[in-house]
Amino acid sequence: MTDIWPTELKVSKDRRTLTVSFNDGASYALPAEMLRVLSPSAEVQGHGPGQGVTVPGKRLVAISSMTPTGNYAVRIGFDDGHDSGIFTWIYLGELGESGAEKFADYEKALAEKGLSRDPR
């Protein structure tokens, strides 16, 4: 169990950024695209090691819903219909701290596979 939890979750007016503020004073602006392509869902991460999927075409994705899940997470829905990712407070903190590196790895994987962030 963690002693860190969000004090505020705020979606921007354009629905493309989630700002998460934590009780330790940390605050992160997380782009919807990053949340979508790094979703903790089985659809994106797979059901085991090495089964993850590189999701292309999500540059313009927006957050369409947020549903609390117990006292430990939030389910985020996106306007492309994806809504199975349950983002724990720990994972949101990880994305705040190291999301730029994770997103750079995602962009590298897209390039290696000849895919694009842009929608078709």
Side-chain angles (χ1 to χ4, degrees), residues 6-11 18-22 66 73-74 89 92:
T7 55
E8 182 178 44
L9 299 171
K10 184 177 181 181
V11 178
L18 171 63
T19 300
V20 184
S21 300
F22 288 93
M66 292 196 351
V74 63
W89 309 145
L92 288 173

Side-chain angles (χ1 to χ4, degrees), residues 49-64:
Q51 294 183 355
V53 175
T54 304
V55 182
K58 301 302 175 185
R59 184 186 302 266
L60 302 178
V61 75
I63 297 167
S64 60

Side-chain angles (χ1 to χ4, degrees), residues 67-76 85-87 89:
T67 307
T69 303
N71 292 321
Y72 68 96
V74 63
R75 179 185 300 266
I76 301 176
I86 297 175
F87 293 77
W89 309 145

Side-chain angles (χ1 to χ4, degrees), residues 19-84:
T19 300
V20 184
S21 300
F22 288 93
N23 67 319
D24 66 352
S27 183
Y28 306 106
L30 305 174
E33 179 188 14
M34 180 179 73
L35 293 167
R36 173 61 179 90
V37 302
L38 298 178
S39 171
S41 68
E43 178 185 328
V44 174
Q45 299 301 322
H47 292 280
Q51 294 183 355
V53 175
T54 304
V55 182
K58 301 302 175 185
R59 184 186 302 266
L60 302 178
V61 75
I63 297 167
S64 60
S65 66
M66 292 196 351
T67 307
T69 303
N71 292 321
Y72 68 96
V74 63
R75 179 185 300 266
I76 301 176
F78 299 90
D79 65 357
D80 67 350
H82 180 76
D83 67 354
S84 60

